[in-house]
Amino acid sequence: MTAMPTTGASLVNQMFRPVLAAGATVLLLAGCVSFGDKAPPQLLTLTSDAAPTAGSMASASVTEAIIVDVPTVERTLDQVRVPVQVSDSAIAYVQDAVWADKPARLFRGVLAETLAAKSGRLVLDQVETGSERGMMLSGQLQRFGYDEGARAVVVRYDAVIRKPGSPLRKQRFEASVPVATVDAVSVGAALNQAANTVAVQVAAWVAG
């Protein structure tokens, strides 16, 4: 059989058929894949009021260092939104208030910075220490959000100290900061203040 000659129109169709097919695939995927909601105006983070100064150094063996672990949390805090305790059995969230990271990791950073500045000791995390262990600070972040009844943010941390050759020590620390306007900026700033207050309390306890 003799092949029919290719006309200009059919040639164009052949060239663009793969492109059209790809476009149809994208349209089909667009109906199945969600790229998330609109990004919030800003992301919240925590900063330590007692961070070591630039250029400061600390040197020690791993067994003499303080290892600060990321606190455990319940499901309401295992995300980047800021919870509002509406009642004993109801949780809402502050509109447009989104953390840059999960609050447990942000709080761990404030603890580590504060301990390093207040104690002058070498402060590490578990990844940096490998299998060796020195003094270990761990615990559970129980509350880290806004309390509607108290009209204040609440940070509650149950700290545990493990030190080789010594008994375990556990203590609860808590700080609250009143909030006049419940919005992302006000609640974020208040939580940063409360987190620093708890970190200073923990640093004094660890040194005692």
Side-chain angles (χ1 to χ4, degrees), residues 41-187:
Q42 58 188 333
L43 295 177
L44 304 176
T45 191
L46 300 178
T47 54
S48 173
D49 294 338
T53 58
S56 60
M57 295 181 62
S59 178
S61 66
V62 172
T63 55
E64 296 173 332
I66 303 174
I67 297 96
V68 181
D69 199 6
V70 178
T72 60
V73 294
E74 61 180 22
R75 184 171 297 180
T76 56
L77 293 179
D78 192 25
Q79 57 180 307
V80 294
R81 294 187 294 175
V82 179
V84 176
Q85 191 76 38
V86 179
S87 68
D88 291 340
S89 59
I91 297 288
Y93 294 93
V94 179
Q95 184 176 2
D96 294 331
V98 180
W99 293 111
D101 198 351
K102 290 186 178 181
R105 289 197 285 263
L106 294 174
F107 181 67
R108 186 263 165 208
V110 171
L111 277 177
E113 292 276 286
T114 304
L115 278 168
K118 296 291 185 181
S119 69
R121 295 175 62 178
L122 181 63
V123 177
L124 304 171
D125 61 27
Q126 284 188 301
V127 174
E128 295 170 317
T129 61
S131 60
E132 295 183 87
R133 289 291 180 268
M135 179 187 287
M136 169 75 75
L137 174 63
S138 61
Q140 183 173 20
L141 194 57
Q142 296 273 4
R143 297 280 299 275
F144 202 84
Y146 179 76
D147 189 299
E148 179 69 26
R151 295 186 179 276
V153 300
V154 178
V155 174
R156 180 184 297 157
Y157 174 59
D158 288 345
V160 177
I161 281 287
R162 297 177 176 88
K163 189 176 181 180
S166 299
L168 289 175
R169 289 196 294 154
K170 182 177 181 179
Q171 186 166 322
R172 172 167 290 183
F173 300 90
E174 184 172 314
S176 62
V177 176
V179 176
T181 304
V182 184
D183 57 30
V185 174
S186 301
V187 171

Side-chain angles (χ1 to χ4, degrees), residues 18-35:
V19 178
L20 292 172
T25 302
V26 170
L27 290 174
L28 287 173
L29 287 175
C32 303
V33 178
S34 172
F35 293 96

